[in-house]
Amino acid sequence: MIGLAFIRTALFAETLEMSTDINAVIPMAALRSSRDGKLPVLYLLHGLGGDHTEWTRQASVERYAEDKGIALILPRADRSYYMDMKQGAAYYTYLSEELPAIAKSLFPISDRREDTFIAGLSMGGYGAFKLALRQPERFAAAASLSGSLDIVHRLSEPEVFRNREEERMFGSVVEVQGSDDDLLALAGKVAAAGNQPQLYQCCGTEDFLYEGNRNFLKHAEKVGLRVTYDEEPGGHEWSYWDRNIQKVFDWLPVDKNR
């Protein structure tokens, strides 16, 4: 019998100025055996077309979390790219400031850096790396699965701005390039500072974001940012993500003696 608490939370987010949702998965057996009544936590981010329910609907992350004794926090970020949007809500500020405070007040999760991890797929892979690289003092590890990591390259593709959605999020390519929303620029800053979180990156070789993933990896190697990288055949699809999120759970630097 799996000892899990699955908690659905609806709340008003002051930063977003609207109602939003958070799902949480709490492994109860691990909680009962925890010395301090707190669990290591993985913030798990959804993709552009998904929401806070997709990881639990499409993959077996509840079982993987139970096996590893890790709490999951699954926030809703809509179609935001985890940005403080040029025309829209301040999702980055919400995810980086308000959400952690809410999660720690509601759920039995640790606030230690060494117990705090973040991962995501596609848009969420971009969000996970951005949050971890902009706040390396908060996250011990971050993982991107098929992430949109070279966002400048992605925004430069002619078809991307066809419905102006990305323009409402990011503004222009010129505004993004070299900013803290540009992961390649962030990689150089974090590598130079010497306080990087552990990073895991994977992408399927048939994925339309594969070239951007290779661009990020090449740049990370150039600037001295350490990345554990994995690739295999696969597209932008749940069969790939469910298989590879298991590798992420195995890779996470969880303190087994906590």
Side-chain angles (χ1 to χ4, degrees), residues 19-171:
S19 296
T20 189
D21 302 279
I22 305 168
N23 284 347
V25 174
I26 308 297
M28 298 306 294
L31 181 60
R32 286 192 292 269
S33 63
S34 172
R35 295 175 182 175
D36 60 359
K38 304 290 184 182
L39 293 172
V41 58
L42 174 64
Y43 291 85
L44 200 49
L45 308 184
H46 64 77
L48 183 65
D51 62 17
H52 59 294
T53 70
E54 69 173 353
W55 274 110
T56 52
R57 287 186 295 106
Q58 301 281 6
S60 298
V61 293
E62 293 164 278
R63 179 159 51 87
Y64 310 148
E66 171 72 7
D67 290 343
K68 299 297 183 181
I70 300 172
L72 304 181
I73 303 296
L74 303 108
R76 172 183 158 193
D78 303 305
R79 296 177 67 88
S80 68
Y81 252 91
Y82 303 92
M83 289 286 297
D84 282 348
M85 300 167 69
K86 296 295 183 180
Q87 300 175 42
Y91 281 91
Y92 176 79
T93 301
Y94 165 66
L95 269 292
S96 63
E97 298 179 12
E98 188 173 2
L99 173 66
I102 292 170
K104 289 168 189 172
S105 69
L106 293 178
F107 310 116
I109 58 174
S110 172
D111 60 1
R112 302 192 308 166
R113 178 184 187 264
E114 56 265 40
D115 293 331
T116 305
F117 318 116
I118 189 166
L121 67 90
S122 193
M123 176 186 83
Y126 167 82
F129 269 20
K130 181 165 73 171
L131 281 153
L133 292 174
R134 287 174 70 165
Q135 295 187 305
E137 73 286 352
R138 173 171 287 172
F139 296 99
S144 167
L145 295 84
S146 313
S148 187
L149 301 185
D150 187 353
I151 197 65
V152 172
H153 176 268
R154 178 71 179 145
L155 294 176
S156 298
E157 296 173 353
E159 71 274 11
V160 168
F161 277 96
R162 65 186 180 276
N163 64 2
R164 307 189 73 84
E165 182 178 29
E166 281 76 8
E167 186 175 0
R168 291 192 292 272
M169 298 176 195
F170 292 96

